[in-house]
Amino acid sequence: MSIFGNRETRLVVQGITGRDGSFHTRQMLEYGTGVVAGVTPGKGGQRFADTVPVFNTVAEAVRETGANAAVIYVPPVGAAGAMFEAADAGLSLIVCITEGVPVMDMTRVLPYVRERGARLIGPNCPGLITPGECKVGIIPGNICAPGRVGLVSRSGTLTYEVVNQLTRSGIGQSTCVGIGGDPLNGTSFIDCLRAFQEDPSTDLIVMLGEIGGTDEQNAARFVREQVTKPVVGFIAGQTAPPGRRMGHAGAIISGSSGTAAEKIAAFEAAGIAVMKRPADVVELVRARLAGTTRMKR
Amino acid sequence: MNLHEYQARTLFRAAGIPMPDGDVATTPSEAETIARRLGGTTVIKAQVHAGGRGKAGGVKLAGTPGEAGEAAEKILGMTIKGLVVQRVLVVPAAEIASEAYVGLIMDRATQRPVLMVSAAGGIDIEEVAARTPEKIARLGVDPRYGLLPHQALGLAFFLYRDVAQARAAARIMEQLYQVFTANGCSLAEINPLVTTPEGRVLALDAKLSVDDNELDRRPDLALLRDESAEEPSEVQARRANLTFIKLEGNVGCVVNGAGLAMATMDLVKYYGGEPANFLDIGGSSNPDKVVNALRIITSDRNVKAILFNIFGGITRTDDVANGIKTALAQFPVQVPIVVRLTGTNEAAAVSILQGIGMTALSDMDEAVQKVVAMVQEAA
């Protein structure tokens, strides 16, 4: 078990012949992900890496291969179009890796995708990985290991840092999800917390947040009210000055809101164990895993 | 990207928003000429990306063209919140009967543009929101249908009882919404929206922030960027496709990924140091990026040591190592460098660094502790 992606995931790669798309498709195939199709308009009929059939449209790919999920590596100007197309094709999971998608585009994409019942992850995210089953996106497979810790994060390499610390200490993961650093995205912390709470293969949740907005505060409220599994959290950007965008479009402190201190306080009030630094994750997770009964089976 | 008031005015007026005539000047004599053309009393306003211009002395009234020139003389070259004023806006002074606030922001929580209006205009709206939230009316706009006429009029009646004024304000809100969506803005603000003694409704100020992600497909907007209003090192970094923000500390940081970059800065602080910057070299690992990063960081004289923290995923750590090697061959780096790298092609990276007499650590905490200790020894 896992959340959002598993052995049953049949993936279509939008932008499969592009520089990023082709590189990461090879990595996903190597990992054992069920990549069943690719889409690049005008290249229909070709095969990628001699195996994966390429189609002109997502609808055609779905019809011919039974794909149920899409990952998007197309450039920013075409990303909104790719998300609309994936939603129209009836896919239940859409992961958009593309960085730099205009926010105004997302105001139209998000309601469109939701009305069609699809889950969108991203944009500007590393995607997700269910260790040993499938990897949708760009999270390096070699730093992950199968296990019972669910991880959700707004960033990419910080996720790798923390996952690596867990794996090296013998703590595996059920699923790791990077929801992305943009101000408007398809999947929130709360969506992932709810899924991990309901996932029988997840015993503990690690949540990596950062400055900007109120997603972490809302997530903390949700944890207090509806999550019974232990949660360990981190907030990046304690040293960030207000009013400056720290790389991610979403990571900006406006006025007195969105600061690391505010978010850490919200975590603590919700009973979330707060890491002072990434390396703390191992000790905090170990202490709380020891207390869960499921691990004793 | 923030626009200057005079740039935002051009977009507002093109959309039909009623605003007083006016023009921008870079010299006192230009300001005088504009004031003469406008006639009557004028307002001279500093054009910088900073709030509180009035309090800082960057806004002055002038009764005559001569006074306008004198006011411009005083304001041009003035420093407001660290930014040197290079342009002034000259506009006719308006007689004001009432001041209101109208603003549109992209709201993360509801994932749509939110229109906010308040009859308590002319002052800091965040303060109004914090102290007297009941004085602000808000409306989330469904981006698929845009701001509907009855929605705008409903908010306008929150500001004005007079139907003619309400209709005028509603029209302005619709025009502001057009400016906001047509230019991919994250913020569009009129503060104040005024009524005159004759009952006209006018926008006296104009503020726009454009989503940086729009700029690639909107070269017309990208041209409005005023690099003279930014930290020179940040301009240099952007041209090199790096995300860089200068801070006050002395530990230079080179990191891949925004989240890890912030966490690295935090860890420097955790071990008693002060980060000199935020720097994200991004996903693709062109060695040139590393060379540019080192050039920018070493031009900051406060920097006493440099920390690399690279977690190789898409970024190949051997590319980063090659970048360091190239940089050191091109220009002298007078301060010590501590390198932490792990992940893709780590073995190759380590051997490249060993070839130039450097070592690499694989643990983030160890590297940060080492660089902080070096800075403290140097002090």
Side-chain angles (χ1 to χ4, degrees):
Chain A
M1 282 291 289
S2 55
I3 70 168
F4 307 150
N6 54 34
R7 269 187 204 96
E8 318 298 315
T9 300
R10 296 175 61 80
L11 190 65
V12 51
V13 181
Q14 292 174 258
I16 193 168
T17 55
R19 192 195 53 176
D20 292 338
S22 57
F23 176 82
H24 291 291
T25 301
R26 282 197 182 86
Q27 306 255 312
M28 290 189 291
L29 285 167
E30 224 169 85
Y31 197 73
T33 308
V35 178
V36 297
V39 170
T40 298
K43 300 204 171 167
Q46 298 182 3
R47 275 188 187 268
F48 176 84
D50 296 329
T51 52
V52 181
V54 179
F55 299 91
N56 286 321
T57 67
V58 179
E60 201 184 345
V62 171
R63 206 162 48 233
E64 299 297 320
T65 67
N68 57 16
V71 61
I72 295 171
Y73 293 102
V74 308
V77 284
M83 288 183 262
F84 282 127
E85 187 185 357
D88 263 347
L91 298 171
S92 57
L93 176 73
I94 304 165
V95 178
C96 184
I97 306 301
T98 311
E99 177 179 358
V101 180
V103 176
M104 203 61 73
D105 289 0
M106 291 313 298
T107 63
R108 294 181 304 125
V109 168
L110 292 171
Y112 196 87
V113 165
R114 286 201 186 110
E115 279 164 9
R116 281 154 186 79
R119 162 155 312 286
L120 171 69
I121 298 176
N124 189 19
C125 77
L128 66 96
I129 186 164
T130 295
E133 298 196 22
C134 83
K135 129 172 171 145
V136 182
I138 63 177
I139 298 175
N142 61 339
I143 57 168
C144 304
R148 304 189 62 85
V149 170
L151 187 144
V152 54
S153 169
R154 245 161 88 176
S155 86
T157 48
L158 176 59
T159 310
Y160 311 165
E161 176 70 40
V162 171
V163 170
N164 192 45
Q165 302 249 11
L166 288 173
T167 300
R168 278 195 325 200
S169 308
I171 303 168
Q173 307 89 38
S174 53
T175 301
C176 304
V177 188
I179 60 174
D182 278 5
L184 265 58
N185 57 19
T187 292
S188 67
F189 279 119
I190 291 178
D191 295 327
C192 298
L193 289 168
R194 184 180 288 120
F196 279 131
Q197 171 68 22
E198 288 167 6
D199 173 32
S201 66
T202 299
D203 291 333
L204 179 149
I205 305 160
V206 174
M207 174 163 56
L208 307 177
E210 60 190 36
I211 53 162
T214 53
D215 282 9
E216 288 82 356
Q217 296 89 315
N218 297 337
R221 197 173 315 121
F222 182 82
V223 166
R224 196 174 61 216
E225 290 164 4
Q226 303 196 36
V227 178
T228 56
K229 296 177 183 178
V231 181
V232 172
F234 180 73
I235 300 291
Q238 298 173 46
T239 45
R244 306 303 311 272
R245 166 181 161 166
M246 303 306 272
H248 288 156
I252 181 163
I253 300 169
S254 52
S256 61
S257 82
T259 63
E262 184 188 336
K263 294 182 183 221
I264 290 170
F267 274 13
E268 285 173 343
I272 298 169
V274 180
M275 302 148 61
K276 289 200 168 63
R277 53 188 184 127
D280 290 342
V281 72
V282 172
E283 201 181 309
L284 292 178
V285 167
R286 260 203 197 122
R288 276 150 194 82
L289 273 184
T292 63
T293 49
R294 272 200 202 89
M295 280 304 281
K296 289 174 185 160
R297 282 190 305 201
Chain B
M1 180 181 81
N2 294 324
L3 300 192
H4 283 302
E5 179 188 0
Y6 76 92
Q7 297 169 325
R9 273 173 57 91
T10 308
L11 293 171
F12 278 26
R13 295 186 80 186
I17 295 175
M19 300 194 84
D21 192 10
D23 212 343
V24 70
T26 54
T27 64
S29 70
E30 275 175 28
E32 192 177 330
T33 309
I34 297 165
R36 185 164 293 118
R37 175 173 71 75
L38 296 173
T41 307
T42 53
V43 188
I44 319 302
K45 303 170 86 174
Q47 300 293 291
V48 283
H49 296 310
R53 289 177 300 177
K55 279 183 199 155
V59 179
K60 294 190 192 301
L61 269 179
T64 65
E67 282 177 34
E70 287 164 25
E73 174 96 57
K74 284 189 190 129
I75 297 173
L76 288 164
M78 174 186 271
T79 304
I80 300 176
K81 293 187 181 164
L83 300 163
V84 178
V85 181
Q86 303 193 336
R87 292 181 193 83
V88 290
L89 176 68
V90 184
V91 286
E95 278 190 75
I96 297 172
S98 74
E99 293 186 288
Y101 169 93
V102 174
L104 265 161
I105 56 150
M106 188 60 82
D107 183 48
R108 300 162 67 133
T110 57
Q111 303 192 320
R112 46 174 63 179
V114 169
L115 183 58
M116 296 185 295
V117 304
S118 175
I123 51 167
D124 184 1
I125 196 66
E126 284 193 2
E127 213 160 280
V128 178
R131 291 192 186 169
T132 49
E134 71 282 0
K135 288 188 178 166
I136 300 179
R138 295 161 205 268
L139 175 84
V141 182
D142 188 326
R144 293 168 296 178
Y145 308 106
L147 180 63
L148 300 170
H150 73 278
Q151 296 173 326
L153 194 60
L155 286 177
F157 275 120
F158 183 77
L159 299 179
Y160 306 115
R161 283 191 188 168
D162 179 86
V163 67
Q165 288 184 343
R167 283 193 199 286
R171 191 169 156 71
I172 291 170
M173 288 176 206
E174 289 176 42
Q175 289 161 331
L176 187 68
Y177 186 81
Q178 286 307 319
V179 171
F180 182 85
T181 52
N183 297 292
C185 294
S186 47
L187 173 101
E189 222 174 55
I190 301 171
N191 191 20
L193 179 75
V194 303
T195 56
T196 65
E198 308 81 63
R200 292 188 65 205
V201 182
L202 286 178
L204 284 201
D205 194 10
K207 192 170 172 186
L208 284 180
S209 297
V210 177
D211 172 13
D212 287 9
N213 291 348
E214 289 284 344
L215 300 178
D216 274 348
R217 65 180 178 188
R218 289 294 301 275
D220 58 322
L221 292 175
L223 279 177
L224 298 178
R225 191 188 283 284
D226 176 11
E227 294 191 333
S228 71
E230 299 174 64
E231 170 70 36
S233 54
E234 292 179 13
V235 173
Q236 198 188 344
R238 191 175 50 245
R239 287 185 182 153
N241 271 322
L242 302 164
T243 312
F244 174 84
I245 292 166
K246 190 181 171 333
L247 301 169
E248 303 304 314
N250 53 17
V251 178
C253 301
V254 184
V255 189
N256 66 321
L260 188 61
M262 283 189 275
T264 303
M265 289 160 46
D266 295 349
L267 200 61
V268 167
K269 182 106 178 171
Y270 177 87
Y271 285 115
E274 287 290 339
N277 63 277
F278 168 96
L279 194 155
D280 174 10
I281 60 168
S284 78
S285 52
N286 185 339
D288 287 345
K289 279 195 174 184
V290 178
V291 176
N292 285 318
L294 271 174
R295 214 181 273 282
I296 290 161
I297 287 180
T298 50
S299 65
D300 178 355
R301 289 206 192 127
N302 291 332
V303 171
K304 299 287 177 258
I306 299 168
L307 169 69
F308 276 78
N309 185 15
I310 306 297
F311 202 112
I314 322 171
T315 306
R316 291 171 39 178
T317 58
D318 56 330
D319 281 344
V320 175
N322 272 322
I324 296 172
K325 185 178 168 182
T326 310
L328 293 180
Q330 281 181 14
F331 54 92
V333 176
Q334 310 288 4
V335 297
I337 298 175
V338 175
V339 182
R340 180 275 174 134
L341 47 81
T342 190
T344 313
N345 295 357
E346 184 177 330
V350 169
S351 88
I352 292 164
L353 290 176
Q354 279 169 349
I356 54 168
M358 291 179 73
T359 54
L361 300 169
S362 63
D363 183 80
M364 174 168 166
D365 283 70
E366 198 185 338
V368 172
Q369 282 174 285
K370 186 172 172 186
V371 78
V372 169
M374 280 175 163
V375 164
Q376 283 166 350
E377 267 169 43

